[in-house]
Amino acid sequence: MATGRFGVGETLGALNAALRPKPSSSGPGGSVWFKENSPRNLRSRDFLAPRGALQALFGEGQVPKDILDEVAALEGPGVPPIQKCTQTQAGLALQLERPTVFEQVLSSLQGYVAPQPTSSTSERSIILDCVSLHGPKGPDALSLSQLRAVLVADHLAQALRTQGVTVYQVPAVQDPGLRDFLQQLKVNWPSASETSSAPESTVALKEVLRDHAAVPTEDLPPGVVCKVSLKEFLEQQPDLEGFDPNLDICLVTEDQLGALTELQEAAQHCPRNLPLSHSEAESSVGGAACSVVHVVSCEEAFQQQKVDLLWRLVDASAPSRQKHLVCGPVKVVGSPTPLSAPQYYRLRHSQMREASVLKYGVDFVQDENWNEIIEALTSAAVKFEMLSTAHRSQMSLDLEETSISTKGTKSGAFVMYNCARLATLFDGYQRGVEQGLYPAFPDVSELDFSLLREEGEWLLLFNGIIPFPEVLSQSAQLHVSSPGIRITANTEAVCKFLVHLSMDFSSYYNRVHILGEPQPHLFGQMFARLQLMRAVQEVFHGALATLHLPPLSQI
């Protein structure tokens, strides 16, 4: 019997290997199997190797009996127990031993709701530079594209920490108003101390820049420290790739020097990463130094390339592994004039309050607790809007969007609403225990998970709980080597996962009365369902934590 955490990736890998038992097997590469997700298909199968793929491997598509038997008997790390594997019109259909899967998953939740970091990431550390937060700007100077970059950086920092990466966030926010706005948005970013020594720290940088200055300082416009040729420097660095060919003369400002100072200080405190191999350590100069990821809006990307090159120019020990994560623009629909980040937040806050009044009544919503609830719902709505589109792509923002409330199934507020429904469920059970209606929750080993037979119950386990660790790992993937750094940021992964989980949970919860009549012969099924709901709740909480959104206990 399989032990340990079941994984979709591990299962697909094992199934593909079983279907191609010989390395010399002809046919196309890539994955043959895929995981089913839709309720309709999950009624008869959990994984499918489509007929077209089978025809490419086996001529007429008929899988030999010995291979079919091998797939049906497949065991291995991360592979759930298989009930049957049959050849159908659609292809090779595989169904898992569902009662056993329920039991093994729901009896060992920690492996799914709190996955452990892998050894490949736990020794890594990076500096995460949110470019839009540099300088003394206040919240009103923050554009929507910059806000998007801030939210991407905030989620990325937490997603990487979840995987065991040590993250140093730069810069420390200087403006008190901007700091308060970010806190209101549930953005977890460091703030500058009142005794910052940044101005003094730029003196040394100015001394170094004098050696590279293109013109005397008296000929410079106001606010410019010096003028340097980045094009000339770039031509002397053949290993640097990806920089804009139009980079030439740079007018260095005090703000840029301030940004460089903060990056230098962070690099000094950042632990050195262990080389990945002996050969890499020998072939790189400073190869074990920390890595830097600059999260930048598209409107600031060109200027940030200048800062990157300036850092390398003035500091020979500057990290060689630097990556620019550029976020696409935000196109606003329904506004003739540009909208600042605070104006956008206030609009969504007003819409959320109005929707809450319509649903619950003005007297109920005026309760003091509702101020915090509406702020949390607004933050969720803003983050899901901004993060549900791939960060590289342009996103459209509809200011008249009516689906941001709890009624909109794709909104962050809808996710928060369903999270609150789960809290209400467990509150109801606890009150029932105190009133003597239900017995105390038994030990998990005493639960009978064969009583979980509803279609919606398998959907929640198979599409929600089991894939959750892989969703977390896919939201941010860091690959560090001596030549450079590669980061994959799928910030939309967690948002989309939560939306689908909320829809599956809502559909199930609306159909099934979990806290049934207080009859002893019904308690077994109730406890099995409550354990499933506990797992769903912990997945909700874990996913929301990567967005710094607090789960609501009531709405």
Side-chain angles (χ1 to χ4, degrees), residues 65-66 85 123 191 212 285 293 298 305 362 385 389 391 399 408 447 463 482 484 486 494:
K65 186 178 182 303
D66 60 327
C85 181
E123 296 173 346
S191 299
H212 301 276
V285 179
V293 176
C298 56
Q305 289 196 12
V362 64
E385 272 190 303
T389 302
H391 74 275
L399 299 183
L447 300 182
N463 286 347
S482 57
R486 180 165 59 88
V494 168

Side-chain angles (χ1 to χ4, degrees), residues 32-36 45-50 88 90-94:
V32 177
W33 292 86
F34 68 85
K35 173 186 174 294
E36 292 286 8
R45 60 184 184 248
D46 298 312
F47 293 91
L48 179 73
T88 68
L92 206 55
L94 183 143

Side-chain angles (χ1 to χ4, degrees), residues 144-158:
L144 292 179
S145 294
Q146 290 172 324
L147 173 63
R148 185 187 188 188
V150 170
L151 296 179
V152 167
D154 180 56
H155 175 51
L156 195 59
Q158 189 60 30

Side-chain angles (χ1 to χ4, degrees), residues 47 246 324 399 408 450 484:
F47 293 91
N246 295 315
H324 294 239
L399 299 183
S450 67

Side-chain angles (χ1 to χ4, degrees), residues 481-499:
S481 61
S482 57
I485 176 175
R486 180 165 59 88
I487 186 165
T488 304
N490 298 316
T491 52
E492 69 277 16
V494 168
C495 292
K496 291 181 177 179
F497 170 81
L498 278 169
V499 166

Side-chain angles (χ1 to χ4, degrees), residues 33 45 65 97 107 145 158 161 176 231 272 287 303 316 370 383 454 469 485 488 492 496 498 506 512 540:
W33 292 86
R45 60 184 184 248
K65 186 178 182 303
E97 190 67 52
S107 297
S145 294
Q158 189 60 30
R161 286 192 178 107
K231 184 176 183 179
R272 292 180 176 270
Q303 291 300 321
W370 266 92
K383 289 188 176 188
E454 279 279 338
I485 176 175
T488 304
E492 69 277 16
K496 291 181 177 179
L498 278 169
S506 183
V512 177
F540 265 117

